[in-house]
Amino acid sequence: MKLLTAATLIVASSTAFARPAPLVSIPTHDAFFNSIAAHCGKAFEGEVAVDNAKGPSSFTDKKLVMHVRKCSETELQVPFHVGDDASRTWIITKTGSGLSLKHDHRHKDGTDDASTMYGGHTLDAGSAQIQSFPADQYSKELFVKQGLAQSVGNTWQMYIYPEVFTYRLIRQGREFKVDFDLTKPITPPSAPWGYKD
């Protein structure tokens, strides 16, 4: 009887410790994440609002489309199509200590680009409409390795309002911003490179 009781206690205690830890979050991060997730399955066309880079831009005269393609309770996958270039996917993830933004870059055959999974992590509460993602250490080291030391100071920002979603990159001397019209959903594009429909 004692042996049975001991075995029962061991099973019960191991079951109690088998529960995964909760993924904690704060209201502003949740509201921001949920506002994007509310558009899951929809795609929207955008236009460059600011681009102060010198020389011709690869975004000029291209159709720009964001597609809130895949949503879970902890991750959003948002491909950003530039004309026929389907190499970019923004990945927004709840981490338990804020929100992470990563840029998944692939080649047409689905293989990883040399410059992929760079991005940043929130450092503060932000707001329900705006979150900032300063470059994380992985990204800084990647940029230096690739001879892009100026990008070490990158901060990516995303804004979501009822009528517009904005993706913005800023650093000293550089600003790039695309606004997407959330009032006019369009036909979603095919899966981005490296993903399946």
Side-chain angles (χ1 to χ4, degrees):
M1 184 67 177
K2 287 183 179 178
L3 189 58
L4 183 59
T5 304
T8 303
L9 286 173
I10 290 170
V11 171
S13 63
S14 65
T15 302
F17 290 109
R19 182 182 65 79
L23 185 66
V24 296
S25 194
I26 62 173
T28 51
H29 292 160
D30 287 339
F32 176 83
F33 186 96
N34 292 339
S35 291
I36 298 173
H39 297 284
C40 205
K42 296 178 183 176
F44 307 94
E45 194 166 349
E47 60 182 27
V48 175
V50 179
D51 187 356
N52 67 353
K54 294 177 181 175
S57 171
S58 60
F59 295 85
T60 303
D61 300 325
K62 302 275 179 69
K63 184 176 181 180
L64 307 179
V65 175
M66 66 171 279
H67 178 199
V68 187
R69 184 172 178 269
K70 189 173 179 185
C71 309
S72 74
E73 290 184 7
T74 58
E75 183 181 277
L76 306 174
Q77 294 178 4
V78 185
F80 173 37
H81 296 256
V82 179
D84 294 329
D85 183 339
S87 64
R88 302 168 177 87
T89 299
W90 301 321
I91 301 175
I92 303 160
T93 308
K94 289 185 177 185
T95 66
S97 58
L99 296 173
S100 164
L101 168 65
K102 289 291 185 175
H103 298 73
D104 183 359
H105 281 220
R106 309 279 184 102
H107 295 291
K108 201 165 189 176
D109 65 1
T111 57
D112 293 333
D113 189 272
S115 179
T116 192
M117 297 311 285
Y118 61 84
H121 197 281
T122 55
L123 298 180
D124 56 27
S127 74
Q129 293 80 32
I130 306 169
Q131 292 293 333
S132 294
F133 306 89
D136 58 25
Q137 192 60 35
Y138 165 80
S139 304
K140 292 176 182 180
E141 292 183 21
L142 177 68
F143 294 147
V144 170
K145 181 179 175 183
Q146 295 182 334
L148 301 170
Q150 70 276 14
S151 296
V152 166
N154 280 6
T155 294
W156 297 271
Q157 295 178 323
M158 289 182 165
Y159 304 67
I160 179 123
Y161 292 98
E163 297 183 352
V164 65
F165 174 88
T166 298
Y167 169 88
R168 182 179 185 225
L169 162 67
I170 53 171
R171 64 172 178 261
Q172 186 172 1
R174 178 77 172 106
E175 181 179 6
F176 173 76
K177 184 163 80 95
V178 182
D179 293 330
F180 297 88
D181 186 350
L182 299 182
T183 68
K184 299 174 182 174
I186 63 171
T187 302
S190 299
W193 298 344
Y195 291 76
K196 293 182 180 179
D197 280 323

